[in-house]
Amino acid sequence: MRIREPVIFTVFMFMLVIVWQMAVEIFNIPSFFLPPPSAIASELVNNLDTLLRNTYFTFLLIVEGFLLAVVFGFVLGVGIAYSWILRVTLYPLMVAIRSLPVVAIAPFFVIWVGYGSPSILLVSFFLAFFPIVIASISGLTKIDPNMLKLMRSFRASEWQILRKLRFKNALPYLFDGFKVSITLSVVGVVVGEFIASSSGVGYLVLVSNFSLNVPFAFASLLVLCILALTLYGSIVLLEKLLIPWRIRE
Amino acid sequence: MKTGNSAEELIEVKNLTKVYQSPRGDVLALEDVSFSVKKGEFICIVGRSGCGKSTLLNVISGLIPETSGEIRIAGKLLKGPQPNIGIVFQFPVLFPWRTVIKNIMLPLEVLKLGKKYYEKIPELVKLVGLSGFENKYPHELSGGMQQRVSICMALIHDPLLLLMDEPFGALDALTRYEMNFELLRIWHETKKTILFITHNVEEAVFLADRVLVMTPRPGKIAKEIVIDLPRPRRLEHREEKKFSEYILDIHKLLGLG
Ligand SMILES: Nc1ncnc2c1ncn2[C@@H]1O[C@H](COP(=O)(O)OP(=O)(O)O)[C@@H](O)[C@H]1O
Ligand SMILES: [Mg+2]
């Protein structure tokens, strides 16, 4: 079962690529409409250097945006979980801001923090932040009342309850938040690069689209896809290592 | 001057009343409950569900405040949870992220107890029948084994008193019998005082020195029945005439037949 599924998937992808290649050749589909896999592959190989350099740029911004979101999101989550006043002020404000489409406010980020990395980082942070706050609040507060009762029966201080119960309880919630957040951080960085950058994979996709170098755009997308999956996979792996008690379905 | 037996009374409950205040009106859960428990006794409280058993246990454990009346544990007026009590709840309360041994250490960590308590862990693990399971996670254990861990956690800080709220209620009948024997053995070896709540009349008669029968609305102790069966209790005692007479008496008090 475990070995068979990836094998089936690989065979499926292989067949898909062949069908795609044949379809493009048989129906004479122009390359700017749908490039054949062979053209994408040759772009990938010929421009590997450029692709890797820009991927690294994008990778760093994704991770930085994500980490900023994790740190600040968790701190705010703890604040909201404990403080009634934050719950009725910052929390609704956050929900309201969250309802704005990111592309509508990203231009303001450029005005506020400047063109390039700072505003890209801010877009990524903007998207990745909310899921962490929500996950933190849930994880810190959705606690089995019996566990709290047990802790109180030993006269545990709130600090002990936070350390020994709430933080641990929050871990699975946090990892669910991380998974959403890392995906959104990828989206944020690419959007940011569309708007305010002259490097990065998002920028490559944009310029190659403009210059109708569609095979190269597809090669960039392929790299982006691999990057996003790798990041997501690392979080899943980390989760398995850090939460061995999590019961899997 | 001390009065005759107050020195050996571990629990003294006097005129205890508990009213729950809720938006849909007040609930009189306990009314004028009085009883006492001597050091080393095994007391069972039986009653139908909803008659106030858990309320009584929660008040005695200091987790919820009484409305009026007073409770003394080892002569001291009870105000809030105190470390000379160990509690076992109906469903095992274990931290899923801690292994068995780490769960057992939790009370010691929270109460900031010293090395001497940690040194006793292996002995207690053996006593409650958990040897070989130390490094398992709770979800790898059966319900019965999980409840053994809970019992171990309730004993690890060496309390005088063990409060148990239908601890075996969620177990199948055979496992419950097994756990009854185990508990009696643990009681025998540790010489703790046990206050054990159940809705199972047979279980109460089999375990207890005295059974306190509770009736509902408002929760009251209707009668106290001294169980005069030899110790250690054995399976054969269930077949004795006296055993079934106690059960019949209690069933009558509970309004059956
Ligand atoms: N927190 C609460 N608020 C209001 N009523 C409660 C609360 N807890 C229990 N009760 C009521 O008190 C009565 C006794 O409950 P409980 O002590 O749990 O009974 P038992 O453990 O014998 O089943 C029940 O009628 C129950 O509905
Ligand atoms: Mg109950």
Side-chain angles (χ1 to χ4, degrees), chain B residues 20-22 27 29 48-56 165-166 217:
Chain B
Y20 284 112
Q21 265 146 9
S22 78
V27 179
R48 295 181 171 207
S49 76
C51 75
K53 303 184 297 295
S54 294
T55 304
L56 180 59
D165 190 357
E166 306 195 25
R217 272 175 288 277

Side-chain angles (χ1 to χ4, degrees), chain A residues 144 146-157 160 164-166 168-169 244-247, chain B residues 58 63 81-83 87 89 93-98 106-107 109-112 137 139 153 157:
Chain A
D144 178 355
N146 287 317
M147 291 186 182
L148 281 172
K149 207 166 145 185
L150 182 78
M151 289 298 270
R152 281 199 293 121
S153 81
F154 299 122
R155 294 191 300 188
S157 63
Q160 284 177 319
K164 294 184 192 296
L165 180 52
R166 293 189 196 274
K168 295 287 183 170
N169 189 73
W245 66 87
R246 195 166 195 186
I247 308 156
Chain B
N58 282 329
L63 285 167
Q82 57 175 99
I87 309 172
F89 300 99
V93 184
L94 305 175
F95 287 7
W97 50 84
R98 284 177 173 242
L106 179 73
E109 291 170 21
V110 175
L111 290 163
K112 300 200 173 82
Y137 282 101
H139 71 86
M153 286 170 75
H157 57 298

